[in-house]
């Protein structure tokens, strides 16, 4: 589990920073810099002071379909267990 989280963070670190701190242009769509402001972007102070709330929203977005369900469960197993999410079996019967 921890290994998957670390790999995901390494691959998507720019987007993680963008969602946690609500940057306007850095990390949008996991890019270093965006030409346009993000709809989630806010002023610098607001972004930093709301980081805990933003982290909770990242979990909600993950389970709302922004990333595949099995990946969301791997990243946030406690949240998945608390809310009754089950991984999707990839076998076709």
């Amino acid at each position: 589990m921890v290994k998957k989280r670390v790999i995901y963070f390494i691959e998507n670190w720019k987007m993680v920073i963008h969602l946690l701190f609500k940057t306007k242009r850095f990390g949008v769509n996991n890019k270093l810099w965006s030409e346009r402001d993000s709809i989630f972007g806010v002023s610098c102070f607001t972004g930093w002071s709301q980081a805990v709330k933003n982290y909770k929203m990242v979990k909600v977005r993950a389970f709302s379909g922004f990333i595949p369900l099995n990946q969301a469960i791997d990243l946030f197993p406690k949240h998945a267990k608390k809310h009754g999410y089950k991984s999707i079996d990839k076998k076709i019967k």
Side-chain angles (χ1 to χ4, degrees):
M1 285 291 187
V2 174
K3 183 179 178 181
K4 289 183 180 182
R5 287 185 198 174
V6 170
I7 291 170
Y8 186 85
F9 179 77
I10 290 170
E11 292 174 350
N12 300 289
W13 67 272
K14 295 177 286 268
M15 181 181 59
V16 170
I17 290 172
H18 165 65
L19 292 174
L20 280 180
F21 301 111
K22 292 192 174 188
T23 60
K24 289 193 178 203
R25 295 187 178 217
F26 178 83
V28 177
N29 295 326
N30 206 31
K31 294 180 182 176
L32 198 56
W33 196 255
S34 174
E35 293 181 15
R36 294 183 177 82
D37 287 348
S38 166
I39 60 170
F40 299 111
V42 295
S43 70
C44 195
F45 176 74
T46 305
W48 285 91
S49 66
Q50 298 287 324
V52 173
K53 180 180 136 195
N54 297 343
Y55 176 73
K56 292 176 183 177
M57 286 306 299
V58 166
K59 290 192 285 188
V60 170
R61 285 188 201 117
F63 287 94
S64 297
F66 280 75
I67 61 174
L69 180 61
N70 289 349
Q71 192 173 24
I73 292 170
D74 288 341
L75 293 173
F76 306 106
K78 290 180 185 176
H79 183 82
K81 186 176 181 179
K82 178 180 178 182
H83 296 284
Y85 289 101
K86 307 273 190 251
S87 60
I88 299 171
D89 188 15
K90 295 180 182 179
K91 296 178 186 176
I92 298 174
K93 295 180 182 182

